[in-house]
Amino acid sequence: MTGKTWAYEDFVEGASLDIGSKDVKAAEIIEFASEFDAQPMHLDEEAGKASILGGLSASGWHTCAMFMRMLCDAFLLDSTSQGSPGIEHVKWKKPVLAGDRLTGTVTILSKRQSKSRPQLGLITMRSELVNQRGESVFELENTGMFLTRGAGA
């Protein structure tokens, strides 16, 4: 794990990290839904318009997957990440529609080193995606596990 840019020590409580943007395409919504969440509002524009969602809408699980890709590209793949023990909560606050542009941020809520594994730190984060209108569409809170800078060196 040496040479990774992001280690436990690099996360600062209260800091916000920009995780970039993602344009949501209709074909991606349909492809994901066809495989994993084949509800009509995720497969067909007209069915989406007829629903309370107002158009072809990404599955909440697809939104989670898009968020995860953004997180990986922003810093996770260049970190000492050891995974996560779980998610505290996830909220799908507004529909994510074909043509939306999602922009994400991660805020570091707290951090602590493991007492039983001092080479491992736990980072609690709140993440948010907003659409092009500045509306919050997704919120997630979880803890990530990261090795300390000297671990495994």
Side-chain angles (χ1 to χ4, degrees), residues 2-3 5 10 12 27 30 34-35 53-54 58 68 70 90 95 104 107 113 119-120 122 129 132 144 148 152:
T2 59
T5 300
D10 299 311
V12 176
I30 294 167
S34 295
E35 178 91 12
L53 302 176
M68 192 67 206
M70 293 167 71
V90 63
T107 301
Q113 274 186 270
Q119 75 279 13
L120 188 68
L122 296 112
L129 296 176
Q132 67 279 6
T148 59

Side-chain angles (χ1 to χ4, degrees), residues 13-90:
E13 287 185 17
S16 288
L17 308 171
D18 176 5
I19 62 167
S21 296
K22 161 90 173 106
D23 292 322
V24 182
K25 296 178 176 50
E28 293 172 331
I29 291 173
I30 294 167
E31 182 180 358
F32 185 94
S34 295
E35 178 91 12
F36 301 109
D37 190 352
Q39 297 182 73
M41 68 286 248
H42 305 317
L43 293 170
D44 178 77
E45 178 70 34
E46 292 308 312
K49 285 180 182 174
S51 78
I52 64 170
L53 302 176
L56 182 65
S57 173
S59 162
W61 299 113
H62 185 194
T63 303
C64 288
M66 289 186 282
F67 161 75
M68 192 67 206
R69 179 81 245 183
M70 293 167 71
L71 188 68
C72 284
D73 291 347
F75 70 86
L76 205 60
L77 294 178
D78 190 26
S79 78
T80 61
S81 174
Q82 300 297 294
S84 173
I87 294 173
E88 296 302 317
H89 79 262
V90 63

Side-chain angles (χ1 to χ4, degrees), residues 119-139:
Q119 75 279 13
L120 188 68
L122 296 112
I123 308 290
T124 301
M125 315 172 225
R126 179 177 298 123
S127 303
E128 181 181 38
L129 296 176
V130 298
N131 63 21
Q132 67 279 6
R133 292 179 295 283
E135 299 168 327
S136 180
V137 299
F138 168 89
E139 184 180 285

